[in-house]
Amino acid sequence: MKKTWWKEAVVYQVYWRSFYDSDGDGYGDLQGLMEKLDYIQHLGVNVIWLNPCYQSPDKDNGYDISDYYQIMDKAGNMKTWETLLHEVHKRDMKLIMDLVVNHTSDQHPWFLESRSSKDNPKRDWYIWRDKPNNWRSYFTPSAWEFDETTGQYYFHSFAIEQPDLNWKNPEVREAIYEMMRFWLDKGIDGFRLDAIALLAKPDGFPDAANPNDIRYLTNHPGLHDYLKEMNEKVFRHYDIFTVGEVAFVTPEEGLKYVAEDRQELHTLFHFEVCDEMPSWDPLRFKQIQKRWYEALWGKGWNSQFLNNHDHTRQVTRYGNDQEYRMESAKLLATMLHTLPGIPYIYQGEEIGMTGVRFPSIEDYNDIAMKNKYAEEVAKGRDPQEVLESLQPLSRDNSRTPMQWEDSEQAGFTTGTPWIKINPNYKTINVKQALADPNSVYHYYRKLIQLRKERLEMVYGTFCDYTENEPYIYAYTREWEGQRLLVVLNHCDHANHYELPKALTATNRQLLLTNYQDVQETGNTLHMRPHEARIYELE
Ligand code: TEU
């Protein structure tokens, strides 16, 4: 496995509409992001992942693109975007753009032409049939929408407003590749490829045995041919990295996307945790990590994340966001930055921001949640019970505005925020974090700096010594004779850990911990609640 800049990356995800509002319209924007670049750089990250900011009617917060070549008015304009890219590069950071090529907005000119008549030259740029099958979409009871004009149904894996492109059509593929080159030629450093596992569709769209198991939307034959062609015609001609959003794959299937010798994608996000593990399940998490390491190591590169703009805040979902919030946030960070793969920091994670519970469905924006709420209430279910069932995993948990200070609107906007701010901004905010040397923020800085100094955290082999332990997670990373030991007590209670013989090194040096005053030197480690330690073993 050769060393590369992207394997050594720490990526910071900016959901720009919730990051910083520079013009008081209640939405974050690119100018606002630019004004906060020094904050991001100070953290020590070297890549920024920018959620979609292309022209869009904004039904799915930018994931419904109506013009790939323009910047969304809410976000700014192309000149602002070009200045942003320049300012990112000036600070020795890189920028990867989130790109949605499985579908467009139903307002995209391509779709407006396609739907205008059955014999329009762009009819076959989308997927039309006389009758639907029984598939659901991610966001609606049916994946098919009837179109009056031509009396046919079109296919959409997500919202009605997000018709899927027909990747079987070479004209579609060429149009997408040309657009990718447009952005790469502007100097971006790669793409996060949205819903990339959905590009291929099965011949004939057979009915599903179980319409509620939506795995039928993904990973169909032909997909890897598209990714190989995408790499051959676009990616390999640039010094970039690509990360695919790849749902519902096993490690063996995931390897097909990222094996270096297959020349498709550089890395992937799999979702065996965030889509399929509703709350912390330590033994299952350890198994997932072990299986992905064994399948990919030496062949392809993985990612490490526990939250993003679709998945609720990790300290709430997988940690402790109450009495041990800071220790837990630091423990989760230690884990993600020391396990094999590129670590992703979702904005606000670095100050321990938490999930939210808004009192009314009117306070929520997420189309997925609002569609599901309407669907369930229409079945006669109690609205309050439906709301409470959807709140924990609502995507809006992670989309509340960045909490910059304890002043009005958390310093996010001088206007009315597009979505309510988490009421805990008074105590959880950047200003407080910067001023507190023991804050989560400063811990992230130390962790990221350590990763730059200790390449075992990037290229080291991985060995878990606690596969059957419910609370203690102890593993090593070893590379070129250097060995790190990570010990985590993911629990609200203290636990002790008897170091196995293989780890009772002659000399053990503590490099980083989320508690002060760690004294002991023996081979029994007394770990406090949510305590994390990184040792160098000699
Ligand atoms: O999400 C794809 C998607 O289906 C996720 O919501 C899923 O739950 C998981 O995270 C991946 O399996 C992408 C974007 O991240 C999301 O914001 C968009 O709404 C969606 O595609 C449609 O573009």
Side-chain angles (χ1 to χ4, degrees), residues 60 63 100 103 138-139 158 162 192 194-195 245 247 271 275 309-311 395 399:
D60 184 22
Y63 284 89
V100 187
H103 49 274
Y138 266 101
F139 298 164
F158 294 94
Q162 294 171 292
R192 178 267 186 181
D194 181 72
E245 182 191 40
F271 291 84
D275 266 355
H309 65 293
D310 291 333
H311 296 281
R395 301 190 300 176
R399 299 179 177 184

Side-chain angles (χ1 to χ4, degrees), residues 356-365 369-370 373 383-384 387-388 391 394 396 419-420:
V356 71
R357 290 287 185 279
F358 291 135
S360 158
I361 189 66
E362 303 313 318
D363 296 321
Y364 287 89
N365 162 275
M369 178 186 186
K370 293 177 86 90
Y373 176 86
Q384 185 57 27
L387 176 66
E388 288 168 10
Q391 282 172 327
S394 163
D396 285 336
I419 188 171
K420 279 183 181 173

Side-chain angles (χ1 to χ4, degrees), residues 129 131-133 135 144 168 201-207:
R129 281 166 56 99
K131 48 197 270 324
N133 67 3
W135 289 13
W144 299 89
K168 283 197 172 79
K201 316 300 184 197
D203 293 335
F205 280 95
D207 271 355

Side-chain angles (χ1 to χ4, degrees), residues 54-287:
Y54 316 91
Q55 196 59 280
S56 163
D58 230 11
K59 297 290 183 187
D60 184 22
N61 293 9
Y63 284 89
D64 50 319
I65 297 170
S66 55
D67 186 344
Y68 286 103
Y69 293 89
Q70 292 299 328
I71 298 298
M72 190 191 303
D73 298 338
K74 274 176 190 147
N77 57 44
M78 189 58 85
K79 181 136 185 47
T80 316
W81 180 89
E82 286 165 350
T83 309
L84 170 67
L85 179 65
H86 172 74
E87 290 299 322
V88 168
H89 284 164
K90 207 167 85 176
R91 291 167 174 78
D92 231 5
M93 294 191 288
K94 294 179 182 286
L95 179 73
I96 67 170
M97 294 278 275
D98 202 327
L99 189 60
V100 187
V101 297
N102 174 67
H103 49 274
T104 67
S105 161
D106 61 352
Q107 301 308 306
H108 194 294
W110 294 346
F111 187 69
L112 298 179
E113 283 189 52
S114 179
R115 77 183 316 172
S116 65
S117 76
K118 283 187 178 177
D119 51 16
N120 181 285
K122 284 200 168 48
R123 185 67 176 185
D124 192 35
W125 280 48
Y126 293 83
I127 298 163
W128 296 92
R129 281 166 56 99
D130 291 328
K131 48 197 270 324
N133 67 3
N134 68 347
W135 289 13
R136 287 189 62 91
S137 84
Y138 266 101
F139 298 164
T140 54
S142 171
W144 299 89
E145 178 67 11
F146 185 68
D147 187 69
E148 294 288 345
T149 312
T150 58
Q152 283 195 308
Y153 292 81
Y154 67 84
F155 182 75
H156 57 89
S157 297
F158 294 94
I160 290 169
E161 298 87 349
Q162 294 171 292
D164 281 42
L165 285 163
N166 174 15
W167 270 78
K168 283 197 172 79
N169 185 335
E171 292 173 2
V172 168
R173 302 202 302 269
E174 287 307 324
I176 294 296
Y177 301 155
E178 183 183 338
M179 175 271 295
M180 287 176 162
R181 291 186 204 102
F182 168 84
W183 288 103
L184 290 167
D185 290 341
K186 280 187 170 293
I188 65 171
D189 303 289
F191 292 112
R192 178 267 186 181
L193 294 162
D194 181 72
I196 201 71
L198 281 69
L199 300 189
K201 316 300 184 197
D203 293 335
F205 280 95
D207 271 355
N210 172 9
N212 292 317
D213 178 354
I214 60 170
R215 270 177 281 206
Y216 47 70
L217 289 171
T218 68
N219 301 298
H220 286 290
L223 173 63
H224 292 288
D225 299 334
Y226 299 149
L227 297 182
K228 281 183 180 14
E229 183 183 68
M230 199 182 286
N231 186 299
E232 184 190 327
K233 296 201 168 181
V234 183
F235 300 154
R236 70 180 63 168
H237 303 291
Y238 300 85
D239 178 19
I240 58 168
F241 101 97
T242 55
V243 52
E245 182 191 40
V246 179
F248 302 128
V249 286
T250 62
E252 294 69 30
E253 291 162 338
L255 181 62
K256 292 178 192 165
Y257 290 80
V258 299
E260 291 192 5
D261 60 4
R262 284 177 62 95
Q263 294 194 297
E264 292 185 20
L265 305 181
H266 295 83
T267 69
L268 84 161
F269 298 127
H270 72 74
F271 291 84
E272 285 202 332
V273 179
C274 285
D275 266 355
E276 301 170 39
M277 196 173 92
S279 57
W280 189 247
D281 178 343
L283 299 183
R284 180 170 171 184
F285 183 81
K286 291 175 178 180
Q287 269 308 309

